[in-house]
Amino acid sequence: GERSSSQRFIFNSEEGEGGESVRIIVANKQKEVYVNEGRQQNVSTIRTLVNLIKCYLGAGILGLPKAFEQGGLLLSLLTMLIIGIMTTHTMYLLVQIKRKIIQTDPNVVTFSDVANFTLGRYGAYIVDIVLCFTQFGFTCVYISFLSQNAANYIPLHWRFVALLWIPILVFLANIQTLKSLAPIAFLANVCTMTAAVILITASLLNFTSKIKHHDDLDIDWFITNINNAPVMVAMAIYAFEGIGVVLPAETAIQNRSKFSLVLNTTMIFSIFNYTAFGLICYLGFGRQTSGLVTENLREFSQGNLFWEILGHFVTWALIFAMLSSYPLQLFVMTDICEEALFKPGRLSTTGKRLKQFIFRTLLVVAGAGVAIGVPDFGLLIALIGSLGTTTLQFVCPGLFYLRAFKDGH
C-alpha cells in the first residue's frame, strides 16, 4: 500500500554486492526516511516475475490446509480456482485504471494514488484505514503463530508465551530502516518454502501409508459443512492478498507489453502452489488437519528421530520467517499513522523518536491482546481475510473502476 504524493511505497529491485533483492522504498520530499525514491522503468521482465512470485511466498500459505478441512475437497478446489481468477481480474482492473489516470496525472503509481484520484481525499483516508486494519491483522496472526509454536518449547501456556514475545517484537517494531532487512527477508522466504516442502513430504507419506494399509482417508470429498464454507473462502482470500504490489511492479518493468505475461505466470504459479499445498496436507491429515499444520507434523513425527528433527527445524524456520517479516507487516501501518500523528497542528515533533517508540509499543501490545483473545489461528486468518483483504482485493478495485470509467470509456 501507499500513503500520499509525498510518501510512497514503491515496488522496486536493485542489484548490488548482495545480488537481487526486493524492497519497499519510502521517500519523503523533505527528508529521505529510508532509501532513495525509485520510480524508474528499469526492472527486467524476468526480475519482475521473480519479485512478484516472492510476494506470494509468504505465511498466508500456512492456513490453507485448515481451509481445505473447513470446506471439503470439491468446494475448496473450486474456491481456490475462483478466488485466484477473481484476484487476477481485479489486478488487471487496477492496471487499466492506472493507465487511464496517468494520462491526466503521471504521478499516479500506487494503490492509494488511485484511491485518492478516483475517490478523493476522504476515499483515500478510508482505504488507509482498511489497509491499517488489514496490516494490523497480519501482525496479530504472526503473534498467534509465534506464541502457539514456541509454547511447545516453554513450560507455559501459549497465552503467557505471547507476553514473552512482546519485548522482542517491540525491538523489531522500532527498527528505523527496512534496508537492512532485505537479505533477511529473502532468507525468510527460503525458510517458508523449505518448511512447506517438508510439510508436503510428510503429508504425502501419511497419505500413501493410508492407501497402503487401506485405511479411511478421513476426508470430505465434496463439502464438509455448508456453515463452514465462508471460513474456507475467507482463509483463501487471505492467502491471495497482494493487490498492493501490482501497480508499482507495472510501473517499474522495462517492457510493459510483457507485464500481462508476467502477471498471468505469477497468478498461475500462485494458484497451483497454494492449491497443491492445501490439498496435499488435507489429504495427508484429513479431518484432523489443525489450524497450525505444524501440530500435524509434530504428531506425524512422533517415534521417528529423523522426522522429529525435521519437525523442530520446520517450527523454528517458520518462527524465524515470521519474526523477520513482522517489521515489514507493521511498517505500512506505522508509516500511515505516524505521518498523520506528526502533521502540523497535531503531536509536536519534539521527542518524536520517544513518541514513535511508545506508539509502536502500544501497537505490539494491542496485537498480542488480539492474538490472545482469538486463540484459533485459522479463524483469526479468516477474520482478517473476510474484513480487510476482501475490501482491498475486491471491493476497492471495483469502486475505482466505476469512478475512473464513469464516462463509459
Side-chain angles (χ1 to χ4, degrees):
E2 178 272 341
R3 212 30 209 70
S4 66
S5 60
S6 65
Q7 201 158 1
R8 307 188 184 277
F9 299 81
I10 310 297
F11 179 100
N12 199 3
S13 175
E14 67 169 4
E15 186 168 349
E17 293 181 359
E20 294 183 357
S21 65
V22 181
R23 60 179 180 165
I24 296 174
I25 293 182
V26 180
N28 187 292
K29 288 182 178 177
Q30 287 73 39
K31 177 184 176 182
E32 271 189 4
V33 182
Y34 294 100
V35 288
N36 293 328
E37 184 171 15
R39 289 174 175 254
Q40 296 83 4
Q41 193 174 335
N42 60 2
V43 183
S44 69
T45 301
I46 295 298
R47 192 182 298 176
T48 302
L49 175 63
V50 172
N51 289 346
L52 279 174
I53 287 176
K54 283 181 183 179
C55 293
Y56 282 93
L57 297 180
I61 195 172
L62 298 175
L64 290 174
K66 183 64 176 179
F68 271 72
E69 187 273 332
Q70 290 287 297
L73 194 64
L74 179 62
L75 175 65
S76 299
L77 290 173
L78 290 175
T79 299
M80 295 300 294
L81 178 62
I82 292 170
I83 290 178
I85 293 172
M86 288 175 62
T87 300
T88 307
H89 175 66
T90 56
M91 287 181 169
Y92 274 114
L93 282 184
L94 275 180
V95 172
Q96 284 183 328
I97 296 164
K98 181 239 179 180
R99 289 177 177 175
K100 175 178 173 60
I101 291 174
I102 59 173
Q103 298 172 17
T104 304
D105 183 358
N107 291 319
V108 171
V109 172
T110 62
F111 193 85
S112 287
D113 284 338
V114 173
N116 189 64
F117 189 93
T118 56
L119 303 179
R121 183 176 60 178
Y122 293 106
Y125 287 158
I126 293 173
V127 169
D128 280 346
I129 291 171
V130 176
L131 182 59
C132 285
F133 168 81
T134 306
Q135 294 298 135
F136 178 71
F138 293 164
T139 66
C140 297
V141 169
Y142 280 32
I143 295 172
S144 177
F145 183 90
L146 289 169
S147 305
Q148 295 188 45
N149 278 279
N152 292 300
Y153 302 94
I154 301 173
L156 292 171
H157 191 277
W158 73 266
R159 285 184 168 91
F160 291 104
V161 177
L163 299 178
L164 297 179
W165 278 115
I166 289 177
I168 298 172
L169 296 177
V170 167
F171 169 77
L172 294 174
N174 282 280
I175 292 175
Q176 293 297 311
T177 175
L178 298 182
K179 192 174 183 179
S180 59
L181 293 178
I184 298 176
F186 171 77
L187 185 57
N189 280 336
V190 172
C191 287
T192 301
M193 293 313 299
T194 303
V197 169
I198 294 173
L199 286 164
I200 286 174
T201 304
S203 301
L204 285 173
L205 289 174
N206 211 34
F207 176 70
T208 54
S209 176
K210 290 180 183 179
I211 296 294
K212 182 179 179 180
H213 295 95
H214 305 287
D215 293 337
D216 182 10
L217 294 181
D218 194 32
I219 64 174
D220 293 290
W221 291 98
F222 299 102
I223 299 175
T224 300
N225 185 330
I226 195 63
N227 294 326
N228 293 340
V231 176
M232 190 281 149
V233 172
M235 294 174 77
I237 290 173
Y238 175 97
F240 278 105
E241 196 281 328
I243 194 75
V245 302
V246 64
L247 293 185
E250 192 268 347
T251 298
I253 191 170
Q254 287 176 343
N255 187 350
R256 288 185 182 167
S257 65
K258 297 288 184 67
F259 186 72
S260 294
L261 175 63
V262 168
L263 186 57
N264 287 337
T265 304
T266 299
M267 295 312 297
I268 290 171
F269 168 82
S270 300
I271 292 170
F272 175 80
N273 184 39
Y274 286 169
T275 303
F277 182 77
L279 172 64
I280 292 172
C281 289
Y282 178 50
L283 289 176
F285 302 116
R287 295 188 183 94
Q288 304 306 312
T289 302
S290 173
L292 285 171
V293 72
T294 49
E295 294 290 341
N296 294 116
L297 180 60
R298 190 171 293 107
E299 293 170 6
F300 169 80
S301 63
Q302 286 180 355
N304 186 313
L305 179 61
F306 174 73
W307 274 102
E308 285 182 356
I309 293 172
L310 283 182
H312 293 310
F313 169 80
V314 166
T315 298
W316 286 106
L318 292 174
I319 286 175
F320 170 79
M322 294 284 186
L323 279 176
S324 58
S325 301
Y326 183 83
L328 294 171
Q329 298 297 337
L330 193 66
F331 174 76
V332 176
M333 179 172 50
T334 56
D335 184 78
I336 291 172
C337 295
E338 287 170 7
E339 184 183 0
L341 288 173
F342 293 107
K343 275 185 176 179
R346 297 180 185 174
L347 284 181
S348 168
T349 55
T350 304
K352 181 179 178 181
R353 186 63 62 85
L354 176 61
K355 292 172 183 175
Q356 283 181 325
F357 176 82
I358 294 171
F359 174 68
R360 296 181 185 191
T361 300
L362 290 175
L363 286 178
V364 172
V365 172
V370 172
I372 291 171
V374 186
D376 190 309
F377 180 75
L379 288 180
L380 185 56
I381 285 179
L383 176 66
I384 305 306
S386 61
L387 296 178
T389 309
T390 299
T391 304
L392 294 174
Q393 195 98 338
F394 301 124
V395 177
C396 289
L399 288 176
F400 298 161
Y401 187 87
L402 291 174
R403 292 286 295 176
F405 291 87
K406 60 184 177 182
D407 56 358
H409 54 81

